[in-house]
Amino acid sequence: MFLHGTSRINDRGHLEIGGCDTVDLQAQFGTPLYVVDEQLVRQRCREYTEAFKASGLKFQVAYASKAFCVMAMCRLAEEEGLSLDVVSDGELYTALQAGFPADRIHFHGNNKTPDEIEMALDARIGCFVVDNEIELRMLQAIAARKEQRVKILLRVTPGVEAHTHEYISTGQTDSKFGFDIGNGSAYEAVKLAASQPNLELLGLHSHIGSQIFEVEGFQMAIQRVAEFSRTVKEGLSVTFSVINLGGGFGIRYVEGETPLHVSQYVQAITDAVKLHFEGIAPELPEIWVEPGRSIVGDAGTTLYTVGTSKDIPDVRKYVAVDGGMTDNPRPALYESKYEALLANRANEPVEETVSIAGKCCESGDMLIWDVELPKVDSGDLLAVSCTGAYNYSMASNYNRIRKPAVVFVKDGVGQLVVRRESLEDIVRHDVVPERINKQTVLS
Ligand SMILES: *Cc1c(COP(=O)(O)O)cnc(C)c1O
């Protein structure tokens, strides 16, 4: 397993993260346990802000909270000077409860409900990223009733889609998100938005994909958005002060993956903005980006205790851990790959190839196919790296398995930031109607 951030193997042959021995974390907090390397999260935040400062452009780096949204993480993003993207009332509530400054919160989503819009307006958040015409009209109406003027971006699809090493130039008409530039709906949306008395149109938003390893997709999107900005300026006399280029910056999950350094993505973006936006408006637009995975992904490690195993001669050996698709659904959802090591015997030589299974009643509940480890025994501590993004935030209670605790580790101290769910939590929202509440008495 590649050792990210402050992860290292200590004198006891144990995996250590943030100065904390993971075997001690297992004893203190139990497993499964999400461990977040706080210093690495802060480092990633700073890589973004420093790269943008070097560009000389005005900017905001908004952490896409959906990757890992808990109050402590919102605090951390706020301390590092980031803005915050939310997509639901639940994420917004989390951010507000954490004291995140409302004016640095951006509200995303393709189906914001009237209640969510009300809540966000009452909180006076910084910006709505408007996805469609129904939302645009609803936002105008609610803002008018509340006598507020609201800053908005319009989400557009620039006709570029990027996944890891491929970027595809598409008609992009077939997306649930945003206004299409190619078919003219984005132009109509700008015209409509600019005429709404309670909406202040700051600019455009484009998000081309996720886990992107190259800069070409961003450069292409910037070129298309700039061309569109020029068209809109000429046709409607509307100029944009903000261009939001979304997130999607890749990270290294497993050997062989070679994402760029954060500064390389940022420099490619700012250079392309300088090139393509020159002369459209008196000033270059402010650039916003929205990294999620690349802020928290490689800072997370999940610790599991090994339980049973099943060795099928000449086929494979399954090793089961005390979590699985409930705490990490990504392998089941996307066939995502992960690396692992035996955290309590990290120096021992590789002896067998095993597959790591979860404990759910579901054959698809596999975390890793074929990982090389020392001989694995019941009670061993297994660490799976790069689980900081889209793990806790996608966790479920399937099989009524309790969601794990989350700890932030730094300078030898493990700090609980999310408590492990209790069995009482599991039935907390259950209601048994009176008519089926008659106890059967066995005599
Ligand atoms: C998911 C998402 C992001 C974050 O994507 P990452 O791949 O985690 O960086 C940013 N912006 C929008 C609009 C998104 O939907």
Side-chain angles (χ1 to χ4, degrees), residues 48 62-67 85 87 108-109 129 155 177 205-212 244-250 289-296 389-390:
Y48 278 98
Y63 167 58
S65 73
K66 69 180 184 195
D85 279 5
V87 181
H108 267 278
V129 182
R155 178 159 185 170
F177 292 111
H205 171 279
S206 136
H207 172 74
I208 57 171
S210 66
Q211 189 60 349
I212 300 167
N244 185 330
L245 294 160
F249 312 101
V289 289
E290 309 174 312
R293 188 191 315 273
S294 55
I295 296 287
V296 292
Y390 306 107

Side-chain angles (χ1 to χ4, degrees), residues 279-325:
I280 298 179
E283 261 190 80
L284 286 173
E286 183 170 321
I287 300 306
W288 297 2
V289 289
E290 309 174 312
R293 188 191 315 273
S294 55
I295 296 287
V296 292
D298 57 4
T301 301
T302 309
L303 302 179
Y304 301 97
T305 301
V306 172
T308 59
S309 58
K310 173 181 176 179
D311 197 352
I312 311 169
D314 304 323
V315 180
R316 73 171 66 248
K317 180 173 171 186
Y318 288 92
V319 168
V321 295
D322 54 354
M325 66 189 293

Side-chain angles (χ1 to χ4, degrees), residues 424-442:
E424 297 82 71
D425 289 333
I426 288 294
V427 293
R428 175 146 298 157
H429 303 290
D430 289 13
V431 179
V432 180
E434 194 56 42
R435 65 188 164 77
I436 51 173
N437 201 17
K438 304 206 173 67
Q439 305 271 329
T440 307
V441 182
L442 297 174

Side-chain angles (χ1 to χ4, degrees), residues 233-268:
K233 163 134 190 258
E234 284 161 9
L236 302 169
S237 303
V238 171
T239 51
F240 300 129
S241 58
V242 173
I243 298 295
N244 185 330
L245 294 160
F249 312 101
I251 65 166
R252 180 203 182 286
Y253 281 98
V254 292
E255 195 175 336
E257 290 182 328
T258 51
L260 300 173
H261 189 269
V262 165
S263 63
Q264 293 174 291
Y265 290 110
V266 172
Q267 192 177 350

Side-chain angles (χ1 to χ4, degrees), residues 157-219:
T157 46
V160 180
E161 214 183 323
H163 302 282
T164 309
H165 290 294
E166 300 155 73
Y167 59 96
I168 315 159
S169 182
T170 64
Q172 189 81 30
T173 319
D174 192 6
S175 161
K176 79 165 183 176
F177 292 111
F179 300 97
D180 192 36
I181 289 181
N183 72 5
S185 71
Y187 188 88
E188 289 306 312
V190 171
K191 195 161 146 188
L192 182 66
S195 69
Q196 303 300 310
N198 295 78
L199 304 184
E200 180 184 347
L201 177 59
L202 298 184
L204 305 175
H205 171 279
S206 136
H207 172 74
I208 57 171
S210 66
Q211 189 60 349
I212 300 167
F213 282 14
E214 288 168 358
V215 298
E216 285 81 356
F218 291 106
Q219 291 167 330

Side-chain angles (χ1 to χ4, degrees), residues 387-398:
T387 58
Y390 306 107
N391 271 234
Y392 179 74
S393 65
M394 288 185 144
S396 78
N397 290 114
Y398 179 50

